[in-house]
């Protein structure tokens, strides 16, 4: 049994560390605070799991921790409040809104309430009252997120709206299940009497909720992280090719044999894999003279509507499109074929297909019409 519990804890710790690393790397590249909030959420999940793990294997520490919890639960309160705060900040970032001040004020009241709980007499009810407000708060966050997505569907594309609605729904469901588990364990298995305090610190339902959060976070973070990794490798290759080109005879391209076709070199499998990104993966605002126009608009109407331009920029920013992908998106919105895109940008068809495939992966669509539909419904 102890071996299974050890394996369980190690797997949980690995699961928490993966999104922490992913989100932190993305935050360093984009300075998008959503990734910082995700890092904070799973960091505190990880800290909590380490503490619980020690209580399960060290009886001396468990007795000290449980006794301290009944008198001054500062450490546990800090962890719980931090998790709830990051959950609220992530919700606001997903909804693209400011933090709801009512929920923020409620979190402040819950924090004060948890700090004054030790004044009550030691009992199972005291512990249950300590935990329950946290689960009520996460339940309210889930309900709030679902209602905002339902009341303003035009602000979100269909794919992301369904995914986040599912995440908010399960947040509310797991919150109720955690309360049920707490009731069963606290009033039937734990002991808070005079003979000695024995507390079950782990909530398996809470672990299931955190595992679901890991799954959801990795689905969102994975594609963006792969894009940045490809971008970094591409930047290094571009720098190497630039140095090589300067040392070659005039009129001969880097990487080509004398007399060979000077068209762009495409690695094997490039047409089916992610596109080689531009040297800089920063989301750049397209210039006002870039000639972007909505699908169906005539060339002379380019940028006639400022809202079209703003929408394009926000779309490119939210989906982390590189400068090259932004240019190709403009052509896709003009219903250009892969051949026409390759001709306009002076690249090979394979490279054009690879960039288009990369855009589809980031927007999470499989067809051009789906891309146009997502863009049409965006914001």
């Amino acid at each position: 049994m102890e071996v299974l519990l050890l394996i369980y804890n190690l797997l949980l710790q690995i699961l928490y560390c993966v999104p922490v690393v992913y989100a932190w790397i993305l935050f360093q590249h984009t300075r998008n605070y959503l990734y910082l909030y995700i890092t904070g959420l799973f960091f505190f999940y990880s800290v909590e799991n380490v503490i619980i793990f020690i209580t399960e294997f060290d009886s001396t520490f468990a007795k000290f921790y449980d006794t301290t919890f009944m008198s001054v639960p500062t450490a546990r309160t800090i962890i719980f409040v931090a998790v709830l705060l990051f959950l609220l900040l992530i919700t606001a970032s997903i909804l693209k809104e400011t933090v709801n001040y009512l929920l923020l004020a409620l979190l402040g009241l819950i924090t004060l309430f948890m700090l004054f709980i030790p004044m009550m007499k030691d009992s199972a009810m005291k512990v249950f009252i300590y935990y329950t407000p946290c689960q009520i708060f996460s339940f309210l966050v889930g309900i709030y997120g679902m209602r905002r997505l339902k009341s303003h569907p035009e602000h979100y594309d269909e794919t992301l709206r369904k995914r986040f609605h599912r995440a908010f729904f399960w947040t509310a469901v797991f919150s109720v299940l955690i309360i049920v588990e707490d009731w069963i364990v606290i009033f039937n298995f734990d002991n808070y009497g005079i003979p000695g305090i024995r507390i079950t610190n782990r909530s398996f339902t809470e672990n299931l909720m955190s595992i679901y959060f890991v799954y959801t976070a990795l689905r969102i973070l994975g594609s963006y992280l792969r894009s940045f990794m490809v971008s970094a490798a591409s930047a290094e290759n571009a720098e190497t090719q630039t140095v090589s080109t300067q040392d070659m005879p005039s009129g001969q391209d880097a990487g080509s044999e004398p007399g060979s076709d000077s068209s762009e070199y495409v690695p094997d499998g490039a047409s089916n894999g992610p596109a080689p990104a531009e040297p800089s993966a920063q989301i750049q605002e397209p210039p006002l003279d870039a000639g972007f126009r909505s699908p169906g608009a005539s060339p002379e109407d380019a940028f006639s509507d400022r809202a079209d331009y703003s929408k394009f920029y926000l779309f490119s920013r939210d989906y982390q499109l590189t400068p090259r992908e932004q240019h190709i998106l403009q052509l896709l919105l003009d219903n250009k074929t892969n051949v026409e895109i390759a001709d306009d940008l002076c690249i090979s068809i394979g490279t054009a297909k690879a960039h288009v495939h990369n855009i589809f992966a980031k927007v999470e669509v499989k067809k051009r019409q789906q891309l146009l539909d997502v863009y049409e419904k965006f914001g």
Side-chain angles (χ1 to χ4, degrees), residues 7 42 111 175 179 210 236 328 331 343 352 358 362:
I7 295 174
F42 290 106
T111 304
S175 299
I179 293 177
S210 64
E236 183 177 353
I328 290 179
L331 300 176
D343 290 341
N358 215 25
K362 289 183 177 182

Side-chain angles (χ1 to χ4, degrees), residues 65-96:
Y65 184 70
D66 293 341
T67 304
T68 304
F69 166 68
M70 295 302 294
S71 57
V72 187
T74 305
R76 190 168 296 190
T77 300
I78 291 174
I79 293 174
F80 281 175
V81 171
V83 168
L84 294 176
L85 177 60
F86 282 118
L87 188 63
L88 181 60
L89 293 173
I90 290 171
T91 298
S93 297
I94 288 174
L95 298 176
K96 302 175 183 177

Side-chain angles (χ1 to χ4, degrees), residues 38-336:
I38 293 175
T39 301
L41 175 68
F42 290 106
F43 171 78
F44 279 99
Y45 271 138
S46 176
V47 171
E48 181 186 22
N49 186 66
V50 169
I51 294 176
I52 294 175
F53 169 74
I54 297 175
T55 63
E56 292 171 337
F57 284 87
D58 188 336
S59 58
T60 303
F61 177 82
K63 183 178 180 180
F64 165 76
Y65 184 70
D66 293 341
T67 304
T68 304
F69 166 68
M70 295 302 294
S71 57
V72 187
T74 305
R76 190 168 296 190
T77 300
I78 291 174
I79 293 174
F80 281 175
V81 171
V83 168
L84 294 176
L85 177 60
F86 282 118
L87 188 63
L88 181 60
L89 293 173
I90 290 171
T91 298
S93 297
I94 288 174
L95 298 176
K96 302 175 183 177
E97 299 177 348
T98 57
V99 176
N100 185 281
Y101 291 109
L102 289 178
L103 289 175
L104 190 61
L106 177 60
L107 180 59
L109 292 175
I110 290 175
T111 304
L112 293 175
F113 178 78
M114 295 170 72
L115 292 176
F116 281 102
I117 283 293
M119 300 175 64
M120 296 178 59
K121 181 180 178 180
D122 289 353
S123 64
M125 182 58 69
K126 169 184 175 179
V127 178
F128 181 75
I129 292 176
Y130 175 86
Y131 284 120
T132 303
C134 298
Q135 311 313 326
I136 293 176
F137 182 84
S138 60
F139 174 82
L140 293 176
V141 170
I143 297 299
Y144 171 77
M146 286 191 293
R147 292 192 63 180
R148 295 299 295 175
L149 289 175
K150 185 177 181 180
S151 60
H152 299 285
E154 69 280 0
H155 294 172
Y156 319 96
D157 70 84
E158 189 66 18
T159 302
L160 289 178
R161 187 180 68 83
K162 289 181 179 179
R163 177 172 297 176
F164 292 136
H165 187 278
R166 191 181 305 116
F168 288 132
F169 170 78
W170 283 110
T171 299
V173 170
F174 277 121
S175 299
V176 175
L177 294 178
I178 292 172
I179 293 177
V180 173
E181 181 184 355
D182 286 346
W183 178 273
I184 296 173
V185 173
I186 290 173
F187 289 98
N188 293 279
F189 296 95
D190 291 351
N191 180 48
Y192 305 95
I194 297 176
I197 297 175
R198 187 182 71 255
I199 300 176
T200 303
N201 293 294
R202 183 179 298 280
S203 171
F204 289 97
T205 311
E206 185 178 3
N207 288 162
L208 287 177
M209 181 171 74
S210 64
I211 291 172
Y212 175 74
F213 286 163
V214 170
Y215 165 75
T216 304
L218 292 182
R219 289 192 66 185
I220 297 172
L221 300 176
S223 60
Y224 290 154
L225 182 63
R226 287 193 298 270
S227 174
F228 283 120
M229 291 175 66
V230 171
S231 299
S234 178
E236 183 177 353
N237 291 337
E239 182 178 355
T240 302
Q241 292 173 3
T242 300
V243 174
S244 300
T245 303
Q246 293 175 352
D247 296 333
M248 295 183 63
S250 177
Q252 182 176 334
D253 291 336
S256 63
E257 297 295 331
S260 64
D261 186 2
S262 60
S263 60
E264 181 179 351
Y265 169 70
V266 182
D268 292 338
S271 59
N272 295 322
E278 293 301 299
S280 172
Q282 295 284 344
I283 302 303
Q284 297 181 358
E285 185 170 345
L288 288 175
D289 58 352
F292 167 72
R293 52 189 178 279
S294 301
S298 59
E300 56 271 16
D301 290 334
F303 282 112
S304 59
D305 188 348
R306 177 71 186 181
D308 287 342
Y309 167 72
S310 299
K311 178 178 179 179
F312 179 83
Y313 167 66
L314 294 173
F315 185 91
S316 300
R317 183 197 65 183
D318 284 7
Y319 286 102
Q320 306 291 336
L321 301 184
T322 65
R324 172 66 82 183
E325 289 167 353
Q326 293 177 37
H327 297 155
I328 290 179
L329 176 62
Q330 293 177 13
L331 300 176
L332 288 174
L333 294 176
D334 282 338
N335 295 315
K336 293 290 185 73

